[in-house]
Amino acid sequence: MATGTLTTSINHLEKARLQLDKCGELLGLDQSMLDRLGTPDKIFQTHSPIRMDDGSIRMFPGYRVQHNNILGPYTGGIRFHPSVDLNKVTSLAMLMTWQCSLVGLPYGGAKGGVTVDPHQLSLAELEHLTRRYTSDMVMVFDPQKDIPSPDINTHPREMAWIMDTWSTNHGYAAPGVVTGKPVAIGGTVGRSNATGRGVVLALDDLLTFMGKSWKGLRIAIQGFGKLGSVTARLAAERGAKVVAVSDLTGGLYREEGLDIADLIGYTKAHRFLKGYQEGQPITEEELLYLPCDVLIPASLGGQIHAGNAHKIQAPIVIEGANAPVTFEADAVLEERGIVVLPDILANAGGAIVSYFEWVQGTQQLFWTEDEVNARLQEVLSRAFQRVATNVTTKGLSFRMAAYVEAVGRVATALSLRGLYP
């Protein structure tokens, strides 16, 4: 069984701007507006020195890109991953702006991260890195200006360290400075499952739109972390058969469907899928080409590209990860009649419930998990209906239908607020 993550050489920012240009043509936006929409407001870069357990000192590059705050404070995840660079973070910040706009959140888009493989760090080293990165960004993060949240390889634990570091530097407790925190220090119930739940809710709306049902639906999910595992569990509970899953150690395929509850228990005990016996070993790349009804790339960006888009057999692709389908691959899939539900809609659950957490924190409110889940479904379904209307009335793909809605709202806001000075 091959290991490792499928990677390609992709200029993520260039691809994001190509999508924006295509949307701009549909909206009739002039070049000056496209230049504003395609350029981030601010870029921050750090080099954090960390004393390692062996006494040596290593430098770790860190980033925070604030794309656009015309609709409200910046928000966006922080990821710890070896592939983090300025190009990728900038493109993800732009996608965050479109996502917040699409689902109607009063937020602007940002993204941050550190270039590191956190699995190679001890717990103490990881805490030192998280706190130093936060200290370097202490004048960037702010409950009213820029609110970070979890992303790849960051969890409630890291969010707690960020809150504590920022609060200590400012001399008062500020639960609103970060979302995705543990419930005990101001987090919200439902946040840990929100992104995966949002993927399933978005797919539910799509199936209804297409006249399909969950029963017997064959699903393959690339990525079995906090997003993929929740997506798999909730899909299985609805009657779908999850026939394949994968993580960075490889994948598993079982035509009759995998036992997701057992798989989740195994990964809790062993961290990764490697070594699980109840399935045929496959690679992460092979998972993408399986015959199934729904393919959910929920790992990293750029997994479906011009070189492999023709191999995709699933008639429906749900973008669980950020930008897993490149601009060129999107055109190939559309030409082949494959429906792609874009990331700015499909994985918006985390952003939506992060907003709920921020509201609860700033107003000292407390919601039940049922209330959080019901509000999440309401916001997502409303956004889906707006996108579906664009699909049916304007003849657009789901991606362009979502982009027209999202980018159009930001462009309108920029025009209404004008230019200062």
Side-chain angles (χ1 to χ4, degrees):
M1 176 175 66
T3 61
T5 300
L6 175 66
T7 58
T8 55
S9 178
I10 296 171
N11 186 321
H12 295 270
L13 182 56
E14 178 187 353
K15 306 307 180 189
R17 285 174 173 157
L18 286 171
Q19 293 284 13
L20 174 61
D21 289 343
K22 184 177 179 180
C23 177
E25 291 180 9
L26 293 170
L27 289 169
L29 302 179
D30 61 31
Q31 189 59 49
S32 62
M33 179 59 76
L34 287 172
D35 289 342
R36 291 187 69 185
L37 293 169
T39 305
D41 292 341
K42 300 181 185 70
I43 294 174
F44 304 92
Q45 183 169 358
T46 64
H47 291 87
S48 301
I50 304 299
R51 190 179 302 280
M52 310 301 285
D53 290 346
D54 63 3
S56 64
I57 295 176
R58 285 180 57 190
M59 303 293 293
F60 294 91
Y63 309 90
R64 186 67 171 177
V65 175
Q66 297 174 335
H67 174 251
N68 189 290
N69 68 346
I70 200 70
L71 296 177
Y74 301 105
T75 192
I78 295 172
R79 63 175 55 183
F80 289 171
H81 195 271
S83 68
V84 168
D85 59 27
L86 185 57
N87 180 286
K88 181 175 292 185
V89 172
T90 303
S91 69
L92 293 171
M94 187 186 304
L95 288 176
M96 194 66 190
T97 298
W98 310 149
Q99 183 170 87
C100 292
S101 172
L102 175 64
V103 299
L105 301 182
Y107 273 153
K111 205 75 173 184
V114 177
T115 310
V116 60
D117 181 355
H119 300 111
Q120 301 301 314
L121 302 183
S122 70
L123 182 61
E125 290 168 341
L126 180 60
E127 180 175 357
H128 294 158
L129 176 59
T130 305
R131 290 184 180 274
R132 180 55 191 254
Y133 170 75
T134 305
S135 294
D136 291 340
M137 296 289 180
V138 75
M139 301 309 294
V140 177
F141 301 151
D142 186 281
Q144 302 302 321
K145 297 178 181 178
D146 188 340
I147 305 103
S149 58
D151 199 85
I152 294 174
N153 291 329
T154 57
H155 310 86
R157 176 185 61 191
E158 286 78 15
M159 299 304 107
W161 292 337
I162 291 173
M163 174 193 165
D164 181 70
T165 303
W166 196 95
S167 298
T168 300
N169 273 274
H170 284 79
Y172 63 93
V177 75
V178 66
T179 60
K181 305 177 298 296
V183 174
I185 57 170
T188 184
V189 290
R191 176 59 182 87
S192 60
N193 293 335
T195 307
R197 182 176 296 277
V199 169
V200 171
L201 290 173
L203 176 54
D204 190 43
D205 283 333
L206 179 63
L207 292 174
T208 300
F209 176 83
M210 299 177 71
K212 298 179 180 293
S213 71
W214 282 96
K215 188 174 182 180
L217 197 73
R218 296 170 303 148
I219 300 178
I221 304 174
Q222 187 197 48
F224 202 69
K226 56 188 176 183
L227 167 56
S229 61
V230 172
T231 301
R233 175 175 61 82
L234 294 177
E237 288 175 0
R238 282 163 168 77
K241 290 197 300 183
V242 181
V243 297
V245 296
S246 69
D247 64 15
L248 59 84
T249 65
L252 296 163
Y253 171 72
R254 188 167 183 264
E255 187 176 356
E256 308 82 39
L258 295 160
D259 185 336
I260 298 304
D262 190 54
L263 261 179
I264 291 174
Y266 181 87
T267 55
K268 283 181 178 179
H270 299 87
R271 193 172 184 179
F272 299 114
L273 294 170
K274 187 176 182 179
Y276 189 78
Q277 299 298 316
E278 302 301 317
Q280 174 188 341
I282 58 173
T283 67
E284 285 196 286
E285 183 171 2
E286 287 170 343
L287 180 145
L288 296 174
Y289 314 140
L290 292 173
C292 58
D293 300 309
V294 179
L295 171 64
I296 305 178
S299 177
L300 294 172
Q303 299 298 291
I304 301 175
H305 48 83
N308 68 1
H310 65 284
K311 298 180 182 180
I312 304 300
Q313 297 191 60
I316 298 173
V317 175
I318 309 294
E319 291 192 314
N322 292 315
V325 179
T326 68
F327 179 78
E328 293 85 358
D330 204 47
V332 174
L333 296 181
E334 184 177 354
E335 184 178 345
R336 294 181 58 208
I338 294 174
V339 173
V340 179
L341 199 65
D343 49 2
I344 63 172
L345 177 60
N347 72 12
I352 294 167
V353 177
S354 278
Y355 171 68
F356 295 164
E357 180 179 331
W358 183 69
V359 168
Q360 292 173 80
T362 56
Q363 298 188 17
Q364 297 299 298
L365 297 172
F366 299 96
W367 300 343
T368 67
E369 188 164 0
D370 286 343
E371 288 177 309
V372 169
N373 291 340
R375 291 170 189 258
L376 168 61
Q377 183 169 12
E378 180 184 351
V379 172
L380 266 178
S381 291
R382 220 169 29 228
F384 180 89
Q385 292 307 318
R386 290 195 294 267
V387 172
T389 297
N390 287 338
V391 170
T392 55
T393 63
K394 300 178 181 178
L396 300 174
S397 68
F398 271 91
R399 187 183 305 281
M400 278 301 107
Y403 264 68
V404 164
E405 192 72 24
V407 175
R409 184 173 182 229
V410 176
T412 298
L414 285 169
S415 298
L416 289 171
R417 285 185 52 174
L419 186 64
Y420 176 85

